[in-house]
């Protein structure tokens, strides 16, 4: 979906396809048919943006076979879909029964991460619509914190500098500008937007910026205004933003709140949980750990890294951090010029919701994704943007 900002520029809204993960090219093509096109039809639009996730094997098949890439591009066009951004965070196995810590491997100290992201950049340059010259790729925020010593930190910075040089060369070759966005996430080396400023300043290249994920920002109790002001002062570009909402528990000391949270503690994804105390941010790596006894202080609200549907906050006594998303979006695109032009709804946890909240079949999932995009569209038009055909 495209929107005209009052300054005349185009802002793109997509939804991320890691919600229906596939490891192979055939699986990606099936996604377009079974999920993405039905969402577009529900929205009544001729064109829908998707934030494509290409696992390692799918990316390899495309980058080694130009005819396969042309075929994917034709399939996108045929189904009324377009791609201006990729989710390059998961490498493989995002549809596994247990993902947890595996999603952070390989990290930016491993050569595989550089080669994979280079491949994604080459592919995105070939997938961009004819009238679009700028693409974005979100990626993991260097590494999970426990695996990042001084040597690996330097290897990560070197890899990202190498990538920036390759992106420069890619633009010279194709005329397409691809930028990379580190996506701060709780528990990682770069947990917050503030944590990103030092590494990105050291890398020192405008092709490497940040992806503001509004669920992650809220989970870490970052103030949106402070976060975006600090990035602006440091000259760090917001390459893209993922529109998402975290799980919020206002009174985690109450037994009924604990019981409600327990329904969201599930075995597939990691749900880092945080609370803000007078002594600073406290947290656990997962929600079940937070619920075990007195591991996490419960005198102040908890937030958990669980992407809940934008349009359907959990019932009381829980809620979501949708207000944080609205504040961030207002800052990003509600001013005289947009701070980013790539927005991506990213609720990948539909099938990890408590059983009674999960969509039952493809049709209900498509309904839910369309409802999220409708909410995002309404927020954008309320900010003065005009939806384009």
């Amino acid at each position: 979906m495209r929107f005209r900002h009052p300054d005349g520029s185009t802002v793109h809204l997509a939804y991320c396809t890691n919600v229906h993960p596939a490891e192979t090219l055939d699986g990606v093509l099936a996604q377009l048919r079974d999920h993405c096109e039905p969402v577009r039809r529900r929205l009544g639009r001729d064109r829908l943006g998707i934030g494509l996730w290409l696992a390692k094997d799918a990316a390899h098949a495309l980058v080694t076979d130009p005819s396969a890439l042309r075929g994917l591009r034709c399939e996108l066009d045929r189904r009324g879909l377009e791609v201006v951004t990729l989710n390059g965070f998961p490498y493989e196995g995002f549809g596994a029964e247990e993902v947890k810590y595996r999603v952070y491997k390989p990290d930016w100290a491993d050569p595989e991460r550089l080669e994979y992201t280079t491949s994604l950049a080459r592919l995105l340059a070939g997938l961009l619509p004819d009238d679009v010259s700028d693409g974005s790729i979100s990626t993991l925020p260097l590494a999970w914190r426990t695996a990042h010593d001084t040597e690996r930190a330097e290897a990560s910075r070197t890899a990202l500098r190498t990538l920036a040089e390759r992106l420069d060369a890619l633009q010279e070759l194709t005329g397409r500008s691809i930028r990379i966005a580190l996506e701060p996430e709780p528990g990682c080396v770069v947990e917050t937007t503030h944590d990103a400023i030092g590494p990105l300043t050291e890398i020192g290249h405008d092709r490497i910026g940040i992806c503001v994920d509004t669920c992650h920002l809220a989970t870490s109790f970052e103030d949106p205004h402070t976060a975006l002001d600090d990035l602006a002062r440091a000259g760090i570009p917001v390459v893209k933003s993922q529109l998402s909402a975290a799980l919020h528990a206002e009174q985690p000391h109450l037994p009924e709140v604990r019981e409600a949270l327990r329904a969201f503690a599930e075995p597939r994804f990691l749900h880092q949980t945080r609370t803000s105390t007078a002594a600073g941010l406290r947290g656990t790596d997962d929600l079940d750990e937070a619920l075990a006894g007195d591991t996490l202080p419960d005198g102040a609200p908890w937030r958990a890294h669980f992407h809940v549907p934008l349009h359907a906050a959990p019932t009381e006594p829980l809620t979501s951090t949708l207000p944080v998303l609205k504040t961030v979006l207002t800052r990003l695109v509600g001013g005289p010029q947009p701070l980013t032009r790539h927005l991506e709804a990213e609720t990948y946890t539909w099938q990890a919701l408590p059983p009674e909240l999960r969509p039952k079949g493809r049709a209900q999932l498509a309904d839910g994704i369309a409802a999220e995009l409708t909410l995002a569209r309404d927020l954008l038009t309320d900010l003065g943007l005009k939806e384009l055909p």
Side-chain angles (χ1 to χ4, degrees), residues 14-20 31 36 49-53 85-88 90 94 138 240 242 343-348 369 373:
Y15 91 87
C16 186
T17 65
N18 63 355
V19 61
H20 8 256
Q31 286 176 355
C36 302
I50 58 172
L52 202 56
W53 176 59
T85 189
L86 300 180
N87 187 330
F94 202 61
S138 48
K240 69 183 280 189
Q242 287 174 327
L343 306 172
E344 179 183 68
E346 196 212 13
T347 303
Y348 58 84
I369 295 170
L373 289 171

Side-chain angles (χ1 to χ4, degrees), residues 258-308:
R258 295 289 186 109
E259 188 62 27
L261 284 170
R262 199 163 283 111
F264 287 84
E266 54 84 37
R268 186 172 175 185
F269 298 113
L270 205 60
H271 301 297
Q272 302 93 315
T273 305
R274 299 289 185 267
T275 186
S276 182
T277 73
L281 201 65
R282 295 280 302 278
T284 60
D285 283 356
D286 215 342
L287 181 55
D288 54 1
E289 182 185 351
L291 291 168
D294 57 358
T295 306
L296 194 63
D298 60 7
W302 286 5
R303 289 176 178 173
H305 173 218
F306 194 118
H307 290 225
V308 295

Side-chain angles (χ1 to χ4, degrees), residues 90-218:
Y91 181 70
E92 61 182 344
F94 202 61
E97 290 186 6
E98 182 177 331
V99 179
K100 299 291 184 180
Y101 295 94
R102 292 171 52 192
V103 75
Y104 307 107
K105 289 293 187 178
D107 65 35
W108 272 104
D110 298 319
E112 295 89 347
R113 177 60 64 172
L114 172 60
E115 297 312 314
Y116 170 63
T117 312
T118 300
S119 294
L120 293 182
R122 291 173 56 191
L123 295 173
L124 182 54
L127 292 174
L128 287 175
D130 292 339
D131 62 344
V132 175
S133 59
D134 297 321
S136 62
I137 303 172
S138 48
T139 186
L140 83 163
L142 300 182
W144 184 253
R145 67 183 187 279
T146 56
H148 207 65
D149 57 21
T150 302
E151 183 178 350
R152 293 184 69 81
E154 182 54 36
S156 298
R157 289 191 293 269
T158 299
L160 284 163
R161 291 188 190 104
T162 299
L163 177 63
E165 293 169 0
R166 293 178 180 179
L167 296 178
D168 285 342
L170 183 65
Q171 182 170 10
E172 290 185 14
L173 181 67
T174 66
R176 304 293 179 85
S177 174
I178 309 298
R179 294 192 296 168
I180 305 300
L182 298 188
E183 181 185 330
E185 178 168 314
C188 292
V189 173
V190 175
E191 173 158 339
T192 66
T193 55
H194 181 77
D195 294 337
I197 292 173
L200 290 174
T201 300
E202 289 183 25
I203 292 165
H205 202 295
D206 60 7
R207 288 201 188 276
I208 314 294
I210 196 168
C211 170
V212 176
D213 183 301
T214 56
C215 169
H216 300 174
L217 183 141

